[in-house]
Amino acid sequence: MNIFNTPSKYPVGIDISDLSMKLVQLNKTRQAVVLQTLSRVAVPSGYIDGGAIKNKAGAAELLRKLLTETIFGKVSSREAVVSLPETKTFIKLLSLNSAGENLSDAVKVEIAKNIPYELADVNYDWQVINQNRDRQKILIAAVPKKIADDYAAILEGVGLLPVALEIEAAAIARSILPLAYESDKTTLILDIGASRSGLIAYADGAILFTASLPISGKKYTAIIAQKLNLTLAKAEEAKIICGLDSQAAQGIIAKTLKQMTDELVAKIKAALQHLAAYYPANLSVGQIYLCGGGASLLGLDAMLKQKLNIEVTIGDIFTNIRVTSRQKEKYLREKYSAVNGEAQRRERQQDFSLTFAAAAGLALRSIYLN
């Protein structure tokens, strides 16, 4: 069965994680980059674990569903740019001497020193970010060959051509930060997901480092469900509606979520210490952007700003993409409501576009290259 329309020169961006697959396809007009296609499917437990594909046949079937049963629009390209799991990849900015040995050989030696894998077992890439007479900054990235091969195989199995496999952090930064983004201070991007969270440190036009944080939204949803005797689905709704509001649900939800936010603050402070130790020239942090499904947690941005004394902003994946108000309202927002106490109804509209941050960044890659 041919599931594609006429092929486009703009590949789809596909973000694969343990809990979901997401797809974004963009188009480019004379005036702007526009949203053409959006799709998402849930991944059953056990199909993908820690970024490793465990059920290849099942994952392939989900990919077919992702391509055909879209939220809106149609997929019009066989080409795909796909994210590699952050927990299985390695990315770091190195500073090397500009003089002397062959650059390629020097980078290879440094990669072997800095990655937690044997060089023979990984695919790696690098690029010069900037240089002067004495030093040059090199961004290196590596992923185990088995992970890359497994991802490429399931894509090819459903008729897709993987034109690039990209580290998730690079895609997220491309989505959240404005094109040609400039700042004299380091920017942090905090991606808060259902199964894990991640931190990206960005400065001087490049990612300095990434950190995987063992903090998940689903863990705290389960705690809320247990404390309030709710199903997981109802607990998730309650978490979205009440957030960090201490007046809601007798403060039980806010108190539970405070444990999560305390964990986040501790991990961010550890990252700031790492920044000071290894990137002293980029010590000053001017901005934190939030993305991922947990980014819109009620009160989170204000709480982080207060605890860290750093400006905190909920990110926008449409910073570099034009999207209509109708598309946002109809396809990217959900309304939640619950009864609190004496029939007091609380409602909240949740924008879930930030869950597509990586997919949007992947889709932008080829448009930027063009």
Side-chain angles (χ1 to χ4, degrees):
M1 179 180 66
N2 182 13
I3 59 177
F4 298 96
N5 295 313
T6 304
S8 164
K9 66 178 181 179
Y10 298 117
V12 295
I14 299 178
D15 174 29
I16 298 174
S17 71
D18 292 6
L19 298 179
S20 67
M21 294 182 183
K22 304 179 191 75
L23 177 149
V24 170
Q25 187 173 20
L26 305 172
N27 204 353
K28 190 175 182 181
T29 68
R30 291 182 180 180
Q31 292 79 27
V33 176
V34 297
L35 185 63
Q36 175 181 300
T37 311
L38 195 72
S39 187
R40 177 179 62 181
V41 296
V43 174
S45 178
Y47 278 45
I48 302 172
D49 184 19
I53 300 171
K54 301 297 184 181
N55 185 336
K56 294 179 181 178
E61 189 58 37
L62 290 175
L63 267 178
R64 292 188 183 93
K65 184 177 179 181
L66 185 74
L67 294 165
T68 55
E69 299 179 21
T70 62
I71 295 172
F72 77 85
K74 292 184 179 180
V75 172
S76 61
S77 176
R78 286 184 172 87
E79 296 183 340
V81 181
V82 182
S83 65
L84 292 166
E86 197 272 336
T87 53
K88 301 294 185 183
T89 55
F90 181 85
I91 188 168
K92 188 174 183 180
L93 189 68
L94 301 177
S95 178
L96 300 181
N97 197 321
S98 291
E101 59 191 308
N102 178 275
L103 179 58
S104 181
D105 291 340
V107 169
K108 189 174 181 179
V109 169
E110 290 299 320
I111 290 175
K113 284 183 188 177
N114 283 278
I115 64 172
Y117 308 105
E118 292 295 325
L119 199 60
D121 296 330
V122 301
N123 293 331
Y124 66 87
D125 199 2
W126 57 274
Q127 67 181 100
V128 178
I129 300 301
N130 59 49
Q131 60 184 336
N132 55 38
R133 291 179 60 184
D134 301 317
R135 309 292 294 176
Q136 50 193 334
K137 291 183 177 180
I138 312 289
L139 186 67
I140 63 170
V143 61
K145 287 180 179 178
K146 185 179 187 320
I147 295 293
D149 290 347
D150 284 351
Y151 275 58
I154 67 161
L155 293 167
E156 291 166 356
V158 299
L160 288 170
L161 174 64
V163 295
L165 301 176
E166 185 169 61
I167 288 179
E168 184 182 47
I172 290 173
R174 187 183 302 118
S175 172
I176 297 297
L177 300 178
L179 181 62
Y181 177 75
E182 291 184 6
S183 174
D184 58 356
K185 295 183 178 181
T186 297
T187 298
L188 301 182
I189 302 173
L190 181 59
D191 176 26
I192 307 169
S195 60
R196 62 166 184 81
S197 299
L199 187 70
I200 304 164
Y202 185 96
D204 300 329
I207 294 171
L208 301 180
F209 65 89
T210 64
S212 183
L213 312 180
I215 300 169
S216 69
K218 68 177 183 179
K219 169 186 171 182
Y220 288 94
T221 298
I223 294 173
I224 292 168
Q226 183 181 35
K227 287 187 175 182
L228 296 179
N229 194 27
L230 299 172
T231 65
L232 288 175
K234 288 296 183 182
E236 180 66 20
E237 289 184 15
K239 184 175 75 173
I240 291 170
I241 294 165
C242 300
L244 294 169
D245 183 354
S246 60
Q247 302 301 310
Q250 295 81 48
I252 295 173
I253 294 172
K255 186 176 180 180
T256 301
L257 292 176
K258 185 179 180 300
Q259 299 172 34
M260 182 185 80
T261 57
D262 286 347
E263 278 192 85
L264 282 173
V265 169
K267 295 297 184 182
I268 294 170
K269 286 182 176 179
L272 294 175
Q273 292 174 351
H274 181 84
L275 191 68
Y278 295 96
Y279 303 92
N282 303 108
L283 175 60
S284 179
V285 175
Q287 178 79 52
I288 299 176
Y289 286 102
L290 305 181
C291 69
S296 300
L297 181 68
L298 186 65
L300 178 62
D301 52 342
M303 187 282 303
L304 290 176
K305 180 179 179 179
Q306 180 186 18
K307 296 276 188 180
L308 298 167
N309 197 29
I310 299 171
E311 190 65 34
V312 179
T313 304
I314 298 174
D316 181 5
I317 71 163
F318 301 119
T319 297
N320 304 301
I321 301 167
R322 189 176 71 187
V323 61
T324 66
S325 298
R326 179 180 177 276
Q327 286 173 330
K328 282 185 177 181
E329 191 66 34
K330 185 173 181 179
Y331 302 113
L332 292 165
R333 289 177 182 158
E334 293 182 36
K335 182 176 284 188
Y336 296 88
S337 64
V339 174
N340 178 34
E342 294 297 322
Q344 180 185 355
R345 179 166 294 277
R346 299 176 65 93
E347 293 187 347
R348 184 157 188 252
Q349 192 174 64
Q350 175 87 336
D351 182 338
F352 61 87
S353 64
L354 282 166
T355 63
F356 286 88
L362 294 164
L364 280 167
R365 182 181 186 273
S366 293
I367 287 181
Y368 281 4
L369 289 177
N370 278 302

